[in-house]
Amino acid sequence: MIFSDNLAKDLNYEAYFNIKPEVDYDVNVNGRVLTLAGEFKPDQKYRIKVFKEIKGKLGSKLATTKNVDFTVKISDIAPKLRFA
């Protein structure tokens, strides 16, 4: 996910998400980019809720009065091998 404001590295962003079906995951933050990485299964649909209180490094919040819900389907990754 890409946010308009930089994200704080020391904030517990996991508290701002709800994922169904439940899965163990970590939240990685790099500038404005937030990535959810975990035991997501290929061809599985996940409902992700982002709570409206999520905030950036400077305290800015989502421009909504409601939580944001969306569904994603994890695609199967084709195996690759690359030499540099």
Side-chain angles (χ1 to χ4, degrees), residues 18-21 45-49 69-72:
N18 182 288
I19 300 176
K20 297 289 182 191
K45 287 185 181 180
Y46 293 90
R47 184 172 164 259
I48 301 174
K49 179 183 287 188
D69 285 294
F70 56 97
T71 301
V72 295

Side-chain angles (χ1 to χ4, degrees), residues 48-62:
I48 301 174
K49 179 183 287 188
V50 182
F51 296 110
K52 64 185 177 193
E53 293 84 8
I54 195 169
K55 57 187 173 184
K57 187 175 184 177
L58 301 176
S60 58
K61 294 183 180 179
L62 294 178

Side-chain angles (χ1 to χ4, degrees), residues 16-28:
Y16 295 100
F17 290 92
N18 182 288
I19 300 176
K20 297 289 182 191
E22 290 185 14
V23 62
D24 289 329
Y25 67 95
D26 293 315
V27 176
N28 301 308

